[in-house]
Amino acid sequence: MTHLFAKTAISLVATTGLVLAIAITANDLAHAAEFKFNWKGDTGYLAQGSFNYDTTTAPSIISEAGLGATKNLQSLSISFFDPSSTLINSFTPVFSGVSNYSFLRFNFDSTKEQIFGSFDVGKDNNLLGDTWLNNNLALIDEGFSDQVLAKEFRLNSRDAAAKEQILDLSNNSVQVSKVREGSIIIGLLAVCSFGFTLKQKFNQKFKI
């Protein structure tokens, strides 16, 4: 009986992986565009993130600002690392088409596949650990022109006293790369293949 349960579980893993792969291919991935982005400061701090949107409704220029329902972005996440590649913090400023970051500034040209203009992504609720990456264009747009610096981008955080501190500065732009639509499917098919392999080995061992 135990062998029967094990065989059933393994079969479910393989079948579920295949069904999910087919479902995603036929529905979500057909209309979704996903991109990764990264930025590096002059002293080695790093910001890495990703975002996605529905290609059937999005215009060629995607622009988002402030809190509430977004116009086009479905999700936007970002992680920050120190020069030794240690994770500082991770945030999801946009989730399920809703922005929870009041200072959000995000502009993307889908034709050129480039982030441009004002940029402010992260979290800042005046709390310890808040971290965000912004540029001078965003500061001007948000009414903080007195904080504009010589470098175009800056990485900020809040210390124990909730005081704003600058971690890194750079004129490096935010670089973007498109995530291949098949990458998710490849992962699911790998799970599926693993399940079928287990099933085959299980059958050979117990001669089921």
Side-chain angles (χ1 to χ4, degrees):
M1 182 63 71
T2 301
H3 295 166
L4 179 60
F5 284 143
K7 180 183 178 183
T8 301
I10 292 171
S11 296
L12 283 173
V13 170
T15 304
T16 300
L18 182 59
V19 170
L20 284 174
I22 295 172
I24 291 176
T25 302
N27 297 293
D28 298 336
L29 292 184
H31 305 300
E34 183 174 359
F35 293 84
K36 292 182 179 180
F37 65 88
N38 67 83
W39 172 88
K40 189 171 185 178
D42 289 346
T43 63
Y45 281 83
L46 183 67
Q48 294 180 331
S50 64
F51 62 93
N52 66 60
Y53 59 90
D54 189 337
T55 58
T56 61
T57 59
S60 58
I61 300 296
I62 296 173
S63 295
E64 306 287 358
L67 292 168
T70 57
K71 299 174 184 176
N72 301 113
L73 282 183
Q74 290 301 306
S75 70
L76 172 63
S77 62
I78 191 167
S79 298
F80 302 100
F81 303 86
D82 68 16
S84 63
S85 298
T86 300
L87 178 67
I88 298 173
N89 223 326
S90 294
F91 305 104
T92 305
V94 176
F95 179 74
S96 293
V98 178
S99 166
N100 55 57
Y101 181 44
S102 58
F103 297 111
L104 176 67
R105 294 295 185 278
F106 183 88
N107 298 279
F108 178 68
D109 185 330
S110 62
T111 302
K112 298 180 180 179
E113 296 188 350
Q114 293 179 349
I115 286 176
F116 70 97
S118 58
F119 184 92
D120 193 331
V121 177
K123 179 184 177 184
D124 183 19
N125 291 331
N126 291 310
L127 298 174
L128 171 65
D130 285 353
T131 313
W132 66 99
L133 174 66
N134 59 4
N135 62 8
N136 286 333
L137 291 175
L139 288 171
I140 295 172
D141 186 31
E142 296 159 15
F144 299 109
S145 57
D146 57 318
Q147 297 184 28
V148 170
L149 301 171
K151 298 287 186 178
E152 182 181 358
F153 279 85
R154 69 179 186 177
L155 178 59
N156 318 268
S157 70
R158 297 281 179 186
D159 60 18
K163 183 179 180 181
E164 180 180 335
Q165 58 180 349
I166 299 174
L167 299 179
D168 209 342
L169 296 164
S170 179
N171 283 322
N172 294 331
S173 60
V174 178
Q175 300 298 309
V176 178
S177 61
K178 189 171 185 178
V179 177
R180 293 178 56 189
E181 292 180 353
S183 61
I184 299 177
I185 294 299
I186 291 173
L188 288 172
L189 289 178
V191 173
C192 181
S193 176
F194 177 68
F196 280 122
T197 300
L198 283 178
K199 180 180 178 181
Q200 188 176 40
K201 290 182 177 180
F202 187 90
N203 289 344
Q204 290 176 350
K205 181 176 180 180
F206 294 101
K207 297 182 179 179
I208 295 176

